[in-house]
Amino acid sequence: MASSLATLSAARGDVVRYDPEVVHRQPYHADAAAAGGVDRNAMIQIRTTLLPAAALALALLLAIAPACPAASKTAPKVVPRAVTQAPPHTTPRTASMWEPVIRRLVQGGLDAVWVAKVFARSEMSYDAEPMGRKLRELHRSLKGGVTVRKIQEGLFALGLSAETPDGKYGPAVRAAIESFQQSHGLPVNGLPNQDVVDALEAALVRAGKASPHPTVWTHGRVHAGVLTPTRLMEAREFHLAHFGTLQAMEQAYGVPGEMATAILTVETRHGRILGRDRAVVILASMALDGDPDRAALFFAKTKLTPTELHWLRETARIRGDWAFEELAALLRWCRAAGKDPFSFPSSPYGAVGWPQFMPSNIEKFGADGDGDGKVDLFVPEDAIHSIGRYFKGWGWQGKMDLGRRQQVVWRYNRSETYVNTVLGVAEHVARELRPEAIPPRSGRPAVVNNAPALQAALGAEQGANRRIELLPGNYVTAGRPLVLRGLQHVTLVGRGEVVLPGLHLERCQDVFLENITLRPARGATAAVTISGSSQITLQHVRMRGASTAGMLADGSATIRLVQCLVEGVQGPAVSAARSSGVLLARSVIRGVQGPAVLQGRSVDRLQVEACLLRENAASWLVDVDAVSREVSLVGCQLVDNAIPALQPGAGGVRAADNTVSGTPVAGMK
């Protein structure tokens, strides 16, 4: 059931585009070459339908009214592309040409004054390209397209057509489709669309001519430009940075966090590529062009058969109605969220946000992940939770076999290549960032949801073999780090996004910390300080914004940081003094500033393995004294750092199998 539409050239890093094939979201990857202009002379003939006099007067009066509400502070800047427009006198800077669309929106329940303000904006400039491009693209598929051939094959297998499948849409195919639609309760229009494909597949299963179970696609076609070391590195980095939110989403919807990471990796590179169009203009223009008389003008210079003309008029009407419903959903969302409809970018067919949802799916599946009372798909927390809700809505249930996973992802984008790519990214993230097992502890775990409860749980039964689970929240402790003294055999696990104002471990042994964000108050020395302790493991711990260091270890042994993130630290990411067995593995260090990224004083075995170091600024990568032993940097990726040298002076650090892009680091091999 792969889409016959043009696919993404992933090697170019193209933005994922969308095909409004059905009412729910059905994206596709648009080929840039599928664009085209409109016959300008023909467009002059476009007719408009006037509103009643009162509504027209209102629209004109509001043309000089104040602008819509200010853009959300989280919304990215829109840089609109050049658009293909009809002659200026057919697109006046008033709401008059939009009267048919305005009338339908108001009849649908949207506030007339607010809608008139939107359409009176100078940015609401008619764009003929989206509908024209889509209709021409679909018209080409009538002459040898995959969808037409698939329908022909199904009709032939069921004995409903004697036509030899050739992928060409003609009178006989139209008649056979109309007969099938009538007998199966579908709208009778003779169009070779996805609804017909789906109904045919179901009929073939009932007739015993197809398997009722989803077929596992084993051909392995993927968008190679996505499964590159750089893109997969970005996926791992995003997953670590948002691990708490991803875990909270998994608990809420039963969808693995790596699936949301994979979708955001493929769709927009985690918000890096959001499109250059405005959804409100695209959808309003397509809704206007749903008029069959307007649609015919896109083919003014093309000779169409009667069957093709029927197809054109029906297809334009259906897609115009689809665009109108999406436009109405978009405006309802903007109205509810206080967003300016012109303030954020979209795909060429109106999909918005990090996960590239069509507006109707924001209403159906949008989720408030950050708890601010609004759904904003340009916020990672909301984007992650919305993907989880979408997948759950389409049948994701816990652990599923490959065929069922493929089927759910197919609902996100009807392309086998897309599905394989998403599952490939998800598999990579799950494999590379698979967490280590949490040490078993005796007794029932204590569950806490605030700082006093946490302090009480830590104070009870000092030295006991126990586990404490932290529910999501900000565990404020008067701006001071949480101090753990004398603890033994204790595990602290965050369930979702848990924020602590730093940690100080003193004389502790066998302590395991997982999924916690450490954000120290100003003036704190480090995100986590470990002194006189041993066997300390930090996993999926995020250390952000410390003024001196990410982790500071003093007089301690066997300290392990696994799959951690150190970000925005004004000092070393890791500083160890009089300590041994310090390991930083499969972690991310980014935005660190100071004399050195890593520091060691009288340290025995400081190992950095398979880590990503991105956009750090320092004089040296590693600063260790002469008495330190076995300091190594192995299998790491250094990307866009401002670090001129490996270390001050000669000797002391072993660097092997690392890759560097951007500024070279003198002394690295």
Side-chain angles (χ1 to χ4, degrees):
M1 289 173 56
S3 171
S4 64
L5 302 175
T7 57
L8 168 71
S9 175
R12 298 196 308 267
D14 293 346
V15 179
V16 175
R17 307 304 188 191
Y18 295 82
D19 175 26
E21 182 66 37
V22 289
V23 173
H24 62 265
R25 178 187 190 280
Q26 182 188 338
Y28 78 100
H29 303 291
D31 190 334
V38 178
D39 187 289
R40 293 178 179 270
N41 293 326
M43 289 302 297
I44 297 176
Q45 306 170 31
I46 292 177
R47 64 179 176 84
T48 60
T49 303
L50 295 178
L51 280 172
L56 176 58
L58 174 62
L60 294 175
L61 175 64
L62 291 170
I64 58 172
C68 296
S72 166
K73 64 181 180 181
T74 61
K77 182 179 180 181
V78 179
V79 183
R81 61 168 172 77
V83 297
T84 303
Q85 297 180 349
H89 63 271
T90 68
T91 57
R93 291 297 179 94
T94 71
S96 59
M97 77 166 297
W98 299 108
E99 289 160 10
V101 178
I102 294 173
R103 179 177 56 198
R104 291 181 68 184
L105 290 169
V106 173
Q107 290 174 345
L110 280 163
D111 180 74
V113 174
W114 187 79
V115 170
K117 287 183 180 180
V118 171
F119 280 83
R121 294 272 292 273
S122 61
E123 299 98 316
M124 184 61 84
S125 180
Y126 168 75
D127 187 355
E129 183 178 334
M131 183 66 91
R133 178 178 62 236
K134 176 53 59 183
L135 291 175
R136 285 189 294 273
E137 180 181 286
L138 292 175
H139 181 252
R140 287 194 296 270
S141 72
L142 296 181
K143 304 176 184 300
V146 174
T147 300
V148 175
R149 178 180 290 275
K150 186 181 290 290
I151 290 173
Q152 288 177 308
E153 291 171 349
L155 293 170
F156 186 84
L158 292 171
L160 302 177
S161 173
E163 290 284 317
T164 301
D166 58 4
K168 297 180 180 180
Y169 181 68
V173 176
R174 172 187 167 184
I177 292 175
E178 288 177 342
S179 177
F180 178 82
Q181 289 172 326
Q182 186 169 17
S183 63
H184 286 77
L186 297 175
V188 180
N189 52 33
L191 301 186
N193 56 31
Q194 191 63 43
D195 289 341
V196 175
V197 172
D198 293 343
L200 275 170
E201 289 185 345
L204 289 168
V205 170
R206 289 193 298 270
K209 298 180 180 295
S211 171
H213 304 292
T215 302
V216 176
W217 305 321
T218 57
H219 54 70
R221 288 199 303 266
V222 297
H223 295 305
V226 176
L227 298 177
T228 62
T230 298
R231 296 288 292 276
L232 293 175
M233 173 193 68
E234 291 174 355
R236 296 194 304 270
E237 181 181 6
F238 177 86
H239 197 83
L240 287 178
H242 298 278
F243 185 84
T245 300
L246 291 162
Q247 187 186 68
M249 180 277 290
E250 184 169 347
Q251 292 173 349
Y253 301 107
V255 177
E258 60 266 21
M259 292 304 302
T261 295
I263 289 291
L264 294 174
T265 298
V266 175
E267 292 286 352
T268 60
R269 294 181 69 182
H270 318 112
R272 290 178 173 88
I273 304 173
L274 293 168
R276 295 175 60 87
D277 297 273
R278 289 189 174 103
V280 66
V281 173
I282 296 297
L283 295 172
S285 298
M286 292 187 71
L288 192 66
D289 287 334
D291 183 333
D293 292 335
R294 294 178 67 97
L297 297 174
F298 287 108
F299 291 83
K301 295 183 178 180
T302 302
K303 185 176 181 180
L304 299 177
T305 67
T307 298
E308 289 176 318
L309 184 59
H310 164 79
W311 168 89
L312 172 63
R313 295 175 67 87
E314 284 296 302
T315 299
R317 179 185 60 79
I318 291 171
R319 289 186 177 271
D321 288 344
W322 169 87
F324 173 80
E325 294 300 330
E326 294 295 340
L327 172 66
L330 175 70
L331 294 177
R332 285 193 297 268
W333 173 55
C334 291
R335 182 76 163 157
K339 282 184 170 294
D340 180 348
F342 298 91
S343 67
F344 47 84
S346 78
S347 78
Y349 289 106
V352 299
W354 286 27
Q356 293 288 271
F357 273 17
M358 291 307 300
S360 62
N361 279 320
I362 302 176
E363 292 186 317
K364 295 176 187 176
F365 302 112
D368 176 19
D370 60 3
D372 67 352
K374 298 179 180 179
V375 175
D376 187 344
L377 296 186
F378 295 96
V379 173
E381 292 83 1
D382 290 11
I384 289 169
H385 279 258
S386 296
I387 293 170
R389 189 178 178 192
Y390 186 99
F391 275 6
K392 182 179 180 180
W394 283 107
W396 193 288
Q397 295 179 345
K399 294 182 178 179
M400 300 190 299
D401 60 31
L402 177 59
R404 293 179 65 196
R405 281 182 282 144
Q406 288 176 328
Q407 196 172 46
V408 175
V409 180
W410 171 267
R411 292 291 186 175
Y412 208 92
N413 187 317
R414 297 188 178 196
S415 159
E416 292 182 19
T417 303
Y418 177 93
V419 171
N420 289 336
T421 303
V422 167
L423 293 177
V425 174
E427 180 183 358
H428 170 83
V429 171
R431 181 180 65 250
E432 294 298 317
L433 298 180
R434 183 174 291 113
E436 298 183 3
I438 298 175
R441 305 298 188 195
S442 62
R444 296 181 62 183
V447 180
V448 300
N449 62 1
N450 55 50
L454 176 57
Q455 294 280 17
L458 289 169
E461 303 179 31
Q462 285 288 332
N465 181 11
R466 65 191 188 281
R467 171 189 174 113
I468 301 173
E469 297 185 0
L470 289 72
L471 298 180
N474 194 333
Y475 288 65
V476 179
T477 55
R480 296 187 298 272
L482 178 67
V483 179
L484 311 181
R485 288 193 178 95
L487 295 183
Q488 297 182 28
H489 317 301
V490 174
T491 295
L492 271 69
V493 179
R495 292 306 183 199
E497 186 62 35
V498 173
V499 181
L500 294 175
L503 274 176
H504 188 140
L505 283 72
E506 184 177 335
R507 304 188 310 278
C508 294
Q509 182 181 5
D510 185 20
V511 175
F512 190 99
L513 306 172
E514 183 179 63
N515 188 26
I516 294 173
T517 295
L518 302 174
R519 189 175 288 119
R522 291 184 178 180
T525 58
V528 57
T529 301
I530 304 172
S531 62
S533 301
S534 63
Q535 299 180 40
I536 308 298
T537 299
L538 280 66
Q539 179 170 266
H540 294 147
V541 172
R542 298 163 294 280
M543 293 163 266
R544 291 186 162 118
S547 59
T548 304
M551 186 204 74
L552 177 61
D554 185 14
S556 298
T558 316
I559 310 299
R560 303 174 69 249
L561 280 69
V562 182
Q563 300 176 25
C564 291
L565 169 72
V566 184
E567 180 179 28
V569 174
Q570 303 297 312
V574 173
S575 178
R578 297 176 296 126
S579 298
S580 63
V582 179
L583 171 67
L584 181 65
R586 292 178 290 158
S587 297
V588 174
I589 300 174
R590 67 186 185 192
V592 170
Q593 299 182 9
V597 177
L598 306 165
Q599 187 179 72
R601 295 290 182 266
S602 300
V603 64
D604 188 1
R605 295 199 322 277
L606 171 59
Q607 299 168 282
V608 181
E609 299 178 355
C611 291
L612 166 65
L613 290 80
R614 180 198 287 272
E615 298 172 356
N616 302 290
S619 300
W620 311 295
L621 181 55
V622 184
D623 177 18
V624 295
D625 59 10
V627 297
S628 294
R629 300 173 55 245
E630 297 185 43
V631 178
S632 61
L633 191 77
V634 179
C636 296
Q637 292 177 286
L638 283 77
V639 180
D640 297 333
N641 297 286
I643 305 173
L646 174 62
Q647 58 186 322
V653 179
R654 182 175 74 90
D657 301 323
N658 302 294
T659 59
V660 180
S661 61
T663 303
V665 181
M668 289 196 69
K669 297 180 180 180

